[in-house]
Amino acid sequence: MGIQIEFNPDLALRKFGTIGRLEEECIPEKLDEGKTYKFLKEGQRNYWLNGEIPLLETSGNQQLSRPIASIYIIEATHFVKDNKIFTRGKYKIKEIFNVYNSKINFESYKRI
């Protein structure tokens, strides 16, 4: 038995108001540049804390949108609740993208 850890090059959250999901598991209804938001993910996840990463929307099963925004993870903490591991933290919005624009803003986790 090993230690299961996931390394994430992005923060993927659910669509605002997804039924059965907590507010912190979803993208806020309105994003504002410079504002800080909370997130919650199941599992022990590691994020890059020393630069920008993309914020994505997920519908589950690794189905991801194009980047919605550029963010900084400013805090990430692992904890156990009901014998499940979670990662919670805070992220700050640097720039919000127009998802309908064809401009490329990231290559993997690298900001362009």
Side-chain angles (χ1 to χ4, degrees), residues 6-13 39 41 45-48 52-58 62 64-69 71 73 106 108-110:
E6 188 171 332
F7 291 85
N8 294 128
D10 52 47
L11 178 61
L13 299 174
F39 73 88
K41 297 289 288 182
R45 296 164 184 264
N46 288 333
Y47 295 97
W48 187 42
E52 298 174 59
I53 65 170
L55 174 64
L56 312 175
E57 183 179 299
T58 181
Q62 300 174 351
L64 303 172
S65 71
R66 293 187 61 208
I68 295 169
I71 65 168
I73 301 283
F106 279 91
S108 182
Y109 64 90
K110 184 180 177 190

Side-chain angles (χ1 to χ4, degrees), residues 3-112:
I3 299 170
Q4 187 174 12
I5 299 175
E6 188 171 332
F7 291 85
N8 294 128
D10 52 47
L11 178 61
L13 299 174
R14 301 290 177 139
K15 182 178 181 177
F16 174 78
T18 299
I19 296 172
R21 298 292 176 166
L22 298 172
E23 183 178 333
E24 292 83 10
E25 293 178 282
C26 299
I27 295 170
E29 184 174 23
K30 183 176 181 335
L31 292 173
D32 292 314
E33 290 180 3
K35 190 168 178 183
T36 300
Y37 300 91
K38 295 179 183 179
F39 73 88
L40 176 67
K41 297 289 288 182
E42 187 172 342
Q44 189 168 339
R45 296 164 184 264
N46 288 333
Y47 295 97
W48 187 42
L49 301 177
N50 199 26
E52 298 174 59
I53 65 170
L55 174 64
L56 312 175
E57 183 179 299
T58 181
S59 57
N61 298 319
Q62 300 174 351
Q63 301 298 310
L64 303 172
S65 71
R66 293 187 61 208
I68 295 169
S70 175
I71 65 168
Y72 292 101
I73 301 283
I74 57 175
E75 179 182 309
T77 305
H78 304 116
F79 69 99
V80 178
K81 182 178 179 182
D82 299 327
N83 292 319
K84 289 184 181 179
I85 298 173
F86 292 89
T87 303
R88 68 176 158 217
K90 296 178 183 176
Y91 62 97
K92 186 174 184 174
I93 304 287
K94 177 170 184 190
E95 183 180 350
I96 298 169
F97 304 135
N98 178 347
V99 295
Y100 302 107
N101 186 339
S102 61
K103 181 181 175 200
I104 305 293
N105 296 294
F106 279 91
E107 282 188 20
S108 182
Y109 64 90
K110 184 180 177 190
R111 179 80 158 98
I112 296 181

